[in-house]
Amino acid sequence: MKKLLTTAAALGLMASSTWAETVAVITPYLSQPGTQAYVEGFEAAAAEKGWDVNVIDTAGDVAAVISRLEDSVTQNVDAIVISVDPAQVNVGLLAAQEAGIPVVGMDAGSDPLIAANVTSNGYAMAAETSVYLANRIGGEGAVVMFVFDAFPPVQIRGVVADAIFGNFPDIEVLDRVTPDVSDGGIADSRAQMEAILAANPEPGSIAGVWAAWDQPALGALQAIEDAGRSDEGIVITGIDANPQARDAIAADGNFEASISQDFTGIGSTAADVVARLLAGEELRENVIYVPTELVTSANAAE
């Protein structure tokens, strides 16, 4: 009898030591520094929980996310994490729902088919940077906006900035640019800003650049510097405060402000949400915000 109990205990120990939850993390935006950071944050938190994590990058191909979702369902993963507009991958999310596999968004946008979306407060970030820019240019002048309406967390930033600038009768939105983000967004933003500068050659014809994330802000900065127009006082703001943006802000030039998102915190919080779902908890909230901070030359080096 004792031998049987010992054998059963050993088998139980083996089962507990070899079993691990499997989680698929799927995104088309892994080339973006912010996405990389919160995926890494998720992986670190998942490692502490003993999970097996498979990160799947579709390299800008949003449609391919549907196939990867369906593959993950077929592989019977325990949970799925996405960073993509849920509305664009509805078919894949339906497959996960039918299989009873919980899906959590990491800066993905809200949708009835995902249990929760963990993100920064895009409304607040856009309001803070657009008001900063409006105040810095004295409430007047032409502003260039860089937006990306195809991705809900970024789309809402543009909507809020539109509303803020619309409250200043002497601010004109000169152009609303959607850059190609396949390489991260810097190169095309630079090229488009070069064209805008060429079309508006007079000093003072452009007062500011508002970017919904840092890559377009950096591309615009490069274009302004290369055109020899840095001394015109064109004020640039971004969102994310990635390392390259922080360096540019610390240099005390045209790029003046960004918003620091806690990308690692988004990733680790998403992992905590997945853990709660796997434990059978019913979530009360479907949007979970992680705190942010305005970054200027005063704190960019911190």
Side-chain angles (χ1 to χ4, degrees), residues 180-191:
D180 181 354
V181 299
S182 59
D183 66 345
I186 293 179
D188 189 56
S189 298
R190 175 178 176 171

Side-chain angles (χ1 to χ4, degrees), residues 5-301:
L5 289 172
T6 303
T7 302
L11 289 171
L13 179 62
M14 288 175 62
S16 64
S17 63
T18 56
W19 173 261
E21 278 84 359
T22 57
V23 182
V25 178
I26 309 172
T27 180
Y29 304 124
L30 200 58
S31 65
Q32 295 291 330
T35 305
Q36 293 172 15
Y38 51 67
V39 168
E40 289 169 1
F42 184 91
E43 288 181 298
E48 293 179 358
K49 301 176 190 300
W51 297 346
D52 289 331
V53 177
N54 180 23
V55 177
I56 302 165
D57 175 27
T58 63
D61 189 344
V62 174
V65 173
I66 296 174
S67 299
R68 302 292 80 79
L69 280 164
E70 293 171 338
D71 291 344
S72 297
V73 170
T74 300
Q75 293 160 9
N76 198 30
V77 300
D78 294 293
I80 298 171
V81 175
I82 62 168
S83 179
V84 66
D85 179 1
Q88 294 181 293
V89 296
N90 182 269
V91 173
L93 293 177
L94 283 171
Q97 182 185 60
E98 291 170 3
I101 299 172
V103 180
V104 171
M106 237 174 1
D107 202 21
S110 299
D111 190 276
L113 293 175
I114 67 173
N117 180 43
V118 182
T119 186
S120 302
N121 190 330
Y123 302 97
M125 292 190 298
E128 194 163 14
T129 55
S130 55
V131 168
Y132 177 96
L133 177 56
N135 287 337
R136 282 287 294 114
I137 64 176
E140 61 181 1
V143 171
V144 177
M145 296 177 64
F146 284 89
V147 298
F148 195 73
D149 292 341
F151 189 38
V154 178
Q155 182 263 343
I156 62 173
R157 301 175 193 175
V159 170
V160 171
D162 283 332
I164 296 293
F165 295 138
N167 281 328
F168 289 84
D170 294 325
I171 289 181
E172 172 198 2
V173 176
L174 184 65
D175 209 338
R176 203 174 188 276
V177 181
T178 300
D180 181 354
V181 299
S182 59
D183 66 345
I186 293 179
D188 189 56
S189 298
R190 175 178 176 171
Q192 298 215 44
M193 190 66 199
E194 286 173 347
I196 293 169
L197 289 166
N200 298 273
E202 293 298 317
S205 56
I206 299 173
V209 175
W210 181 90
W213 73 108
D214 283 337
Q215 274 69 12
L218 291 164
L221 176 65
Q222 292 174 4
I224 290 166
E225 290 177 341
D226 288 350
R229 297 180 65 173
S230 300
D231 60 355
E232 290 182 24
I234 301 172
V235 178
I236 303 172
T237 65
I239 291 175
D240 289 344
N242 66 42
Q244 193 174 355
R246 282 180 175 271
D247 288 344
I249 293 168
D252 213 13
N254 296 89
F255 196 164
E256 291 194 12
S258 187
I259 298 284
S260 174
Q261 298 190 69
D262 183 2
F263 293 117
T264 300
I266 289 174
S268 61
T269 300
D272 290 341
V273 172
V274 170
R276 290 163 61 188
L277 291 167
L278 293 178
E281 181 178 340
E282 186 174 343
L283 302 180
R284 290 188 174 185
E285 68 278 30
N286 58 12
V287 179
I288 300 170
Y289 288 132
V290 175
T292 61
E293 180 184 20
L294 181 69
V295 174
T296 65
S297 59
N299 63 345

